[in-house]
Amino acid sequence: DETKIGGNGTVDGEKDRLTQLGRALSHTQRLAGIGSLSASTVLELTNPLNIITSSCSNLVYELQDKPLDQDLLKYYVGLIERSAFRIAQIIKVLQDYASLDEPQMVVTGVNMILRDARALVENQFLNQANIHITAELSDDLGSIVCDHNRITQVLVNLLANAREAMDPDG
């Protein structure tokens, strides 16, 4: 029975176990972050859902009395489409953020990472601490090769730490 010892003095099986524990801890931290974001996410999803339901109700009401004007129809369909797209964006960001996958190195825009991190915390900051996040992003930041989700997680953690370090009055 042979035991292989790695270059850093750890037994290979122990190294694998530590790697698995590190991944599990990282995933747990992401899920905890999602838990703290869930209340604001519900609010973030409620707004576009309210727009969709009220637009549909208005369309039904308008159609009962008379033929619907094409401009009004385009207006309501546009509202519904933008709101549904917003919901899909929020869900995708949360799904990506909660992912337990191996690091996935991709080419991604720096601004997209910043926008995703902001989307995850913006309403929570506003509703819980009356903190408005402003971002002045340059169009020429370009793209980088990184794990988009993990860098987004780092930024979310930095933003949360900054919020906690602020005076209670903001």
Side-chain angles (χ1 to χ4, degrees):
D1 189 27
E2 282 186 25
T3 302
K4 293 184 180 178
I5 299 185
N8 63 359
T10 62
V11 177
D12 285 345
E14 181 182 341
K15 183 179 175 184
D16 290 343
R17 188 173 185 292
L18 290 174
T19 300
Q20 289 174 345
L21 287 173
R23 288 182 186 146
L25 177 61
S26 175
H27 183 64
T28 301
Q29 289 172 332
R30 280 191 303 243
L31 292 178
I34 287 174
S36 69
L37 295 171
S38 64
S40 63
T41 303
V42 167
L43 291 173
E44 183 77 15
L45 292 172
T46 300
N47 291 333
L49 281 173
N50 285 339
I51 291 170
I52 290 170
T53 55
S54 63
S55 293
C56 289
S57 293
N58 289 343
L59 280 169
V60 168
Y61 175 77
E62 292 286 336
L63 287 170
Q64 286 177 353
D65 295 336
K66 59 189 175 295
L68 191 60
D69 175 62
Q70 289 298 308
D71 290 335
L72 188 58
L73 178 62
K74 287 178 185 176
Y75 171 76
Y76 283 128
V77 169
L79 279 176
I80 292 168
E81 183 180 40
R82 285 188 301 276
S83 297
F85 180 74
R86 178 69 183 138
I87 290 169
Q89 272 185 311
I90 294 165
I91 291 170
K92 177 159 182 3
V93 168
L94 286 173
Q95 284 174 328
D96 290 345
Y97 186 74
S99 164
L100 180 59
D101 297 335
E102 293 292 320
Q104 298 194 2
M105 304 305 281
V106 296
V107 176
T108 187
V110 173
N111 283 339
M112 184 58 72
I113 295 170
L114 297 169
R115 285 185 190 111
D116 285 355
R118 180 180 176 184
L120 285 168
V121 299
E122 189 169 32
N123 277 342
Q124 178 187 29
F125 282 26
L126 184 59
N127 294 327
Q128 293 179 357
N130 199 30
I131 296 172
H132 297 270
I133 299 175
T134 58
E136 296 178 17
L137 305 177
S138 174
D139 289 337
D140 62 354
L141 289 180
S143 298
I144 58 173
V145 176
C146 68
D147 184 322
H148 180 100
N149 298 329
R150 291 186 182 192
I151 299 299
T152 300
Q153 178 185 355
V154 169
L155 291 175
V156 165
N157 292 343
L158 286 171
L159 288 167
N161 290 344
R163 183 198 64 219
E164 291 172 12
M166 292 179 76
D167 290 330
D169 297 331

